[in-house]
Amino acid sequence: MATLEDLGVSAFINIVGAFIFLLLFAVLRIQPINDRVYFPKLYIAKKRTHDHRGARRAINLNLCTYFKFLSWVPGALRMNQTELIHHAGLDSVVYLRIYTLGLKIFLPIMVVALLVLIPVNVSGGTLLNLKKDVVFSDIDKLSISNVSPGSNRFFIHLLMAYVFTFWTCFMLYKEYSNVAFMRLHFLASQKRCADQFTVIVRNIPRVSSHTTSETVEEFFRRNHPDHFLGQQAVYNANRYAKLVKRKERLQNWLDYYQLKFERHPDKRPTGRTGCFGFCGGEVDQIDYYRARISELDKRMASERQKVLNDPKAIMPVSFVTFDSRWGAAVCAQTQQSKNPTQWLTDWAPEPRDVYWENLAIPFFSLSIRRFLISIAVFALVFFYMIPIAFVQSLANLEGIEKVAPFVRPIIEVKVVKSFLQGFLPGLALKLFLYILPSVLMIMSKVEGYVSLSSLERRTASKYYYFMLVNVFLGSIIAGTAFEQLYSFFHDPPSEIPRTIGVAVPMKATFFMTYIMVDGWAGIANEILRVKPLVIYHLKNMFIVKTERDRERAMDPRNIQLGENLPSLQLYFLLGLVYAVITPILLPFIIVFYAFAFLVYRHQIINVYNQEYESAAAFWPQVHSRIIASLLISHVTLFGLLSTMKAAYSTPLLIFLPLLTIWFHKYCKSRFEPAFRKYPLEEAMEKDRMEHASEPSLNLKTYLANAYLHPIFHMFEQEEQKEETTLEVRIDKSQQQQQQQHHVRSSHTQYEERNTETHYYHEERSSSQYQYQYQHEETHMRSEQSPPHFVYHHEIQP
């Protein structure tokens, strides 16, 4: 069990690690060569168009900027909420509000708990009487375990449980009200978007002698004659998309070898065609990749014709558009057929939120997929119990020493023991959880959800249950077993509940180490972005061949709600459970919320690029899981007091979970409809305002290509290739020579670019030249329109 000294070692390691990460970040972020790593949002927004700020070198030589290593903090706080919504969207702002909610809940709770509960617990003295039977440390004297069984002091803990619950519910109510208002205001003030007029229809029945598009149009013209505008079919183009990605990889290699040959025209690049270039026959790489691309073009043309001409390629899914928001709201929120399994309608996700691959999954297989994934998640949860038990064995060495004395000489080395108990358990748990979100995301994709936002919410649900069962309950159960092995083996069975009741609060030390690793050093690592930094420069050295490749090498990522929301909810769970039991854990959580708020605010402003906007659709889940944390804290305290002979105070806890459940139901009925349905009143009002301001708006043209399957965009790109202008490539040495000549003529500094190849375009100006990536395309209308398509315009919305 971790002692105060072990926690000190862990705190020292994590604080020093976090400081080193922040120091490295302060140095690396001001290097122009790292601009695309630490400020990718500026490039995505076209606020920067080159790697190095102004005309400076790749390395920042301004020493004054190195002393302002905390300048990112005021920068992260500079934007107000309205500006941040405009800059990053409502999802990002509401995500940040979860951290401020944690501070609003736990700061007052921490003050009251430290002033009231700590003195009550310290003066108990029970653990000293159980010293021979129970393993404990000095920190455990601050917990409820140190109060004598049957003591009247438990009424103070009971009172604090009511106070903390009422305060948490009050803050949750205010926050739910604010977020619901923000969502409605955001939707009301949102500019015209395609998803406001569009409904996704699934499980469209097959009708003989009718195509899917004809069936959809006939059904909606009959049942929604006044507002139906059109529909866009969904094609199963997954194979074609894979061929396009394969061609892009081959084209990148061809570009690379062509540029290499241009720099060294006396020697054509050659290589072997076998595994990793170590075996197979030696070939001319340029001719080899040209031949492979030519062969792939034939396969793509064949697959393209198959998609366009095969009626079976059209899926029983369609995006149906209406001429008003009111018409779309009526359709999306009502049952369309007397058969409730057909013509299933829902609001269409915004176009960038659609996960096209899952639209090709037959509807009847979704239930089977989700059932099988549920079994897989259940198995995964219990499979992870093995590494969790191993982590807890590292955290509870004294219990193991009593059962296996032969390991004592190694464990008792002071440095080894402090490291094993104070730092290693939290780090090991963090490593075991590293790949889990990716696995759960794959499972969610297999389940067949059709939007990225729903995929992230489902991943977050799975990850939350995993964290609850394994990280929280698993750590407590396994940790208690390892700590009290001697008591379990030697005491009578009637004493086991008392042993568990005393030992559960002692797991707070393990969670303190986990918070320091994950919530302190882990958050500092998030702002340093070690992985994206390394990958970007490796790609820049070996893969990047064009300016377009450099843009693709950027990895701004997004907030990763599927991974971050469950972690946040775990901290709420730990704080609410241990607020009464072991309140000394609360300062660790407060530090996490404050530090993480600053870091993620900076990342949202400068780094993260949200792939979609759901208008805070995830908030009801956040609220429900904080309520679940409250209920778990009540059950935990109830069980703990029942093992400590608090017969008079324990029954009074029964009303607490009942009141909490009533509060949750009230909030759900009061606020959740704002996240599930769109008010017809709002829809009608917005339609009226739009008709008054734009009476000649052509919605059919505006919505024509909004939900056009990506395959048709690929077709257009293929047809436009013949019309594109010739791009002139310049390698690094040639560009540097031109830039140096320009610097000498204008007496200004030149900009040293850290790339191998660039595109340039010479502006028609007598005074300056601007080198940039220039890709001019002459658009032409496609002569062949997609079959079974109600309307198809080339005008982009």
Side-chain angles (χ1 to χ4, degrees):
M1 176 177 295
T3 63
L4 187 60
E5 183 179 358
D6 298 336
L7 280 180
V9 171
S10 178
F12 175 78
I13 294 175
N14 285 288
I15 291 174
V16 170
F19 180 77
I20 292 174
F21 287 157
L22 291 176
L23 196 61
L24 288 174
F25 166 71
V27 173
L28 294 175
R29 69 183 287 269
I30 61 176
Q31 308 306 321
I33 198 173
N34 296 325
D35 252 13
R36 291 183 183 266
V37 178
Y38 294 110
F39 302 96
K41 207 161 189 175
L42 297 179
Y43 289 91
I44 294 173
K46 305 301 181 183
K47 294 182 179 179
R48 286 186 188 170
T49 57
H50 47 76
D51 284 333
H52 306 153
R53 303 173 184 177
R56 297 183 300 179
R57 295 182 174 87
I59 304 300
N60 183 8
L61 301 180
N62 186 357
L63 297 180
C64 295
T65 58
Y66 289 89
F67 293 100
K68 301 177 182 179
F69 64 96
L70 289 179
S71 60
W72 64 272
V73 176
L77 299 174
R78 189 170 294 121
M79 280 189 181
N80 59 37
Q81 182 171 279
T82 304
E83 293 172 339
L84 197 57
I85 291 176
H86 179 74
H87 178 74
L90 186 62
D91 282 343
S92 301
V93 171
V94 172
Y95 174 74
L96 289 175
R97 289 182 69 95
I98 302 176
Y99 292 96
T100 58
L101 176 64
L103 291 173
K104 292 175 183 177
I105 290 176
F106 289 115
L107 265 175
I109 290 178
M110 180 189 70
V111 173
V112 174
L114 294 182
L115 293 178
V116 176
L117 292 179
I118 292 294
V120 173
N121 295 337
V122 171
S123 59
T126 299
L127 292 177
L128 295 176
N129 300 327
L130 299 174
K131 191 172 183 179
K132 294 182 180 180
D133 300 325
V134 178
V135 179
F136 69 93
S137 67
D138 291 336
I139 297 176
D140 299 319
K141 297 177 183 179
L142 306 176
S143 72
I144 197 174
S145 300
N146 201 35
V147 179
S148 302
S151 173
N152 290 331
R153 300 184 181 199
F154 288 123
F155 282 103
I156 300 178
H157 295 85
L158 180 67
L159 176 62
M160 290 297 102
Y162 273 90
V163 171
F164 296 164
T165 299
F166 288 158
W167 173 252
T168 302
C169 290
F170 173 70
M171 295 308 304
L172 281 176
Y173 178 84
K174 288 187 62 178
E175 195 66 21
Y176 212 151
S177 177
N178 290 335
V179 173
F181 174 79
M182 291 170 62
R183 174 181 168 86
L184 291 176
H185 182 268
F186 178 80
L187 294 176
S189 60
Q190 194 176 25
K191 294 180 180 180
R192 182 173 57 250
C193 300
D195 54 291
Q196 298 172 357
F197 303 89
T198 309
V199 172
I200 184 172
V201 185
R202 307 195 69 183
N203 206 24
I204 301 170
R206 297 284 186 182
V207 178
S208 59
S209 72
H210 282 72
T211 65
T212 300
S213 297
E214 293 170 346
T215 303
V216 171
E217 183 164 358
E218 180 181 345
F219 178 86
F220 281 94
R221 288 199 181 280
R222 182 174 65 250
N223 295 287
H224 298 269
D226 298 328
H227 298 284
F228 173 71
L229 188 63
Q231 61 92 21
Q232 292 182 340
V234 174
Y235 295 80
N236 186 357
N238 293 342
R239 289 185 179 179
Y240 185 85
K242 291 179 181 179
L243 293 176
V244 170
K245 291 180 180 179
R246 188 182 305 176
K247 181 180 178 180
E248 287 179 352
R249 291 195 295 268
L250 295 176
Q251 187 64 48
N252 280 339
W253 279 111
L254 178 60
D255 291 343
Y256 171 75
Y257 286 115
Q258 285 179 332
L259 293 171
K260 188 176 181 180
F261 179 64
E262 289 176 8
R263 290 194 298 270
H264 305 284
D266 56 329
K267 182 180 180 181
R268 290 183 67 86
T270 60
R272 298 184 181 274
T273 59
C275 181
F276 299 105
F278 294 110
C279 57
E282 187 168 343
V283 297
D284 184 293
Q285 295 285 25
I286 295 178
D287 294 339
Y288 172 73
Y289 280 103
R290 280 177 178 169
R292 290 193 60 183
I293 291 174
S294 177
E295 179 183 355
L296 194 59
D297 282 336
K298 296 178 182 178
R299 293 180 57 187
M300 290 175 61
S302 175
E303 183 66 25
R304 170 182 174 176
Q305 293 301 320
K306 181 179 179 182
V307 173
L308 291 175
N309 300 322
D310 186 3
K312 294 182 179 179
I314 304 178
M315 305 306 300
V317 182
S318 182
F319 290 100
V320 177
T321 55
F322 295 82
D323 63 0
S324 66
R325 297 171 182 84
W326 189 91
V330 170
C331 180
Q333 298 167 180
T334 56
Q335 181 175 320
Q336 303 302 309
S337 172
K338 59 185 177 182
N339 184 346
T341 63
Q342 293 181 348
W343 297 103
L344 303 178
T345 58
D346 198 359
W347 282 107
E350 61 175 343
R352 58 178 178 166
D353 190 20
V354 178
Y355 188 68
W356 293 95
E357 294 181 14
N358 279 359
L359 289 174
I361 299 176
F363 183 81
F364 69 86
S365 68
L366 294 180
S367 299
I368 300 174
R369 285 168 171 261
R370 291 169 188 176
F371 174 73
L372 295 177
I373 290 298
S374 298
I375 296 176
V377 172
F378 181 82
L380 182 65
V381 167
F382 283 91
F383 168 78
Y384 258 81
M385 278 292 186
I386 299 174
I388 295 296
F390 169 73
V391 169
Q392 290 305 315
S393 69
L394 296 176
N396 304 286
L397 302 180
E398 287 87 347
I400 296 177
E401 286 180 0
K402 288 186 177 182
V403 179
F406 59 88
V407 299
R408 182 173 297 175
I410 300 175
I411 293 177
E412 286 301 322
V413 177
K414 191 173 183 179
V415 177
V416 174
K417 187 173 184 178
S418 296
F419 179 77
L420 288 177
Q421 293 191 143
F423 178 72
L424 189 59
L427 178 62
L429 181 58
K430 179 71 176 175
L431 293 176
F432 280 127
L433 297 177
Y434 182 73
I435 64 170
L436 188 62
S438 300
V439 175
L440 296 178
M441 175 57 81
I442 294 174
M443 290 182 170
S444 298
K445 290 180 178 179
V446 173
E447 286 182 305
Y449 294 97
V450 298
S451 66
L452 297 175
S453 56
S454 59
L455 285 173
E456 287 207 320
R457 290 197 295 272
R458 294 304 304 171
T459 301
S461 297
K462 296 180 180 66
Y463 198 21
Y464 170 76
Y465 294 128
F466 180 90
M467 300 281 274
L468 174 63
V469 174
N470 278 22
V471 178
F472 181 70
L473 297 178
S475 296
I476 288 177
I477 295 172
T480 301
F482 277 109
E483 282 179 0
Q484 313 304 337
L485 282 175
Y486 185 83
S487 298
F488 287 161
F489 290 155
H490 294 84
D491 290 347
S494 60
E495 293 296 317
I496 291 180
R498 181 185 68 85
T499 303
I500 294 177
V502 174
V504 166
M506 299 177 186
K507 289 311 301 167
T509 55
F510 165 74
F511 289 120
M512 290 176 194
T513 63
Y514 177 75
I515 292 170
M516 286 187 285
V517 172
D518 180 68
W520 297 5
I523 294 299
N525 180 60
E526 175 67 26
I527 199 172
L528 180 59
R529 309 196 75 218
V530 176
K531 182 180 176 182
L533 178 68
V534 173
I535 291 177
Y536 171 76
H537 286 298
L538 288 177
K539 287 182 177 179
N540 205 27
M541 291 173 61
F542 300 108
I543 299 178
V544 169
K545 310 167 193 68
T546 66
E547 190 69 18
R548 182 166 42 188
D549 292 339
R550 192 183 321 285
E551 292 179 359
R552 292 176 180 175
M554 290 192 305
D555 183 21
R557 299 178 59 193
N558 55 21
I559 300 177
Q560 302 290 324
L561 293 176
E563 178 180 354
N564 290 332
L565 283 181
S567 299
L568 264 173
Q569 290 151 6
L570 175 66
Y571 287 108
F572 275 101
L573 176 62
L574 294 177
L576 293 172
V577 167
Y578 282 99
V580 177
I581 296 175
T582 311
I584 195 63
L585 179 137
L586 293 177
F588 295 85
I589 292 180
I590 294 296
V591 172
F592 159 74
Y593 279 123
F595 185 38
F597 172 76
L598 287 175
V599 168
Y600 279 106
R601 210 172 198 277
H602 173 274
Q603 300 296 83
I604 285 171
I605 292 174
N606 298 296
V607 179
Y608 296 150
N609 182 41
Q610 266 312 83
E611 298 177 333
Y612 60 86
E613 177 59 58
S614 69
F618 57 84
W619 182 259
Q621 288 186 344
V622 174
H623 176 87
S624 299
R625 283 163 194 161
I626 297 177
I627 292 293
S629 301
L630 271 176
L631 294 174
I632 292 172
S633 70
H634 300 156
V635 173
T636 304
L637 185 61
F638 186 89
L640 185 61
L641 293 180
S642 65
T643 64
M644 303 186 73
K645 302 178 182 179
Y648 295 104
S649 57
T650 303
L652 298 177
L653 272 175
I654 295 176
F655 300 102
L656 204 52
L658 296 178
L659 292 173
T660 304
I661 293 173
W662 172 83
F663 168 76
H664 174 57
K665 288 187 175 181
Y666 173 77
C667 287
K668 188 172 183 178
S669 62
R670 173 67 179 83
F671 299 115
E672 190 167 328
F675 295 84
R676 298 287 179 258
K677 299 177 181 179
Y678 187 52
L680 294 180
E681 180 184 15
E682 290 284 335
M684 181 63 73
E685 181 64 26
K686 196 160 187 179
D687 286 335
R688 287 174 179 171
M689 293 176 60
E690 188 172 76
H691 291 160
S693 60
E694 298 180 74
S696 60
L697 175 66
N698 188 344
L699 269 178
K700 192 169 186 177
T701 302
Y702 174 77
L703 298 171
N705 287 342
Y707 286 91
L708 184 64
H709 195 287
I711 186 174
F712 295 119
H713 294 298
M714 297 176 188
F715 291 169
E716 291 173 359
Q717 291 173 4
E718 290 294 324
E719 293 172 351
Q720 291 167 0
K721 281 186 177 180
E722 296 178 357
E723 302 295 329
T724 57
T725 57
L726 181 63
E727 298 173 332
V728 183
R729 298 182 179 91
I730 298 182
D731 62 21
K732 180 178 179 180
S733 59
Q734 291 173 333
Q735 185 184 17
Q736 287 180 343
Q737 292 175 3
Q738 292 176 356
Q739 289 178 335
Q740 289 172 358
H741 174 73
H742 176 58
V743 169
R744 286 193 298 267
S745 63
S746 59
H747 302 286
T748 60
Q749 291 182 326
Y750 69 89
E751 180 181 6
E752 181 182 358
R753 298 188 180 270
N754 186 34
T755 62
E756 289 187 0
T757 60
H758 293 274
Y759 293 86
Y760 82 97
H761 174 71
E762 182 174 352
E763 299 285 350
R764 296 193 175 186
S765 171
S766 59
S767 60
Q768 63 176 3
Y769 293 87
Q770 180 183 3
Y771 296 95
Q772 62 180 8
Y773 168 72
Q774 183 73 16
H775 186 73
E776 299 177 351
E777 294 184 347
T778 304
H779 295 281
M780 64 177 182
R781 289 187 177 272
S782 174
E783 296 179 357
Q784 181 180 10
S785 296
H788 314 301
F789 201 68
V790 176
Y791 53 86
H792 176 67
H793 301 273
E794 297 300 323
I795 301 175
Q796 293 293 335

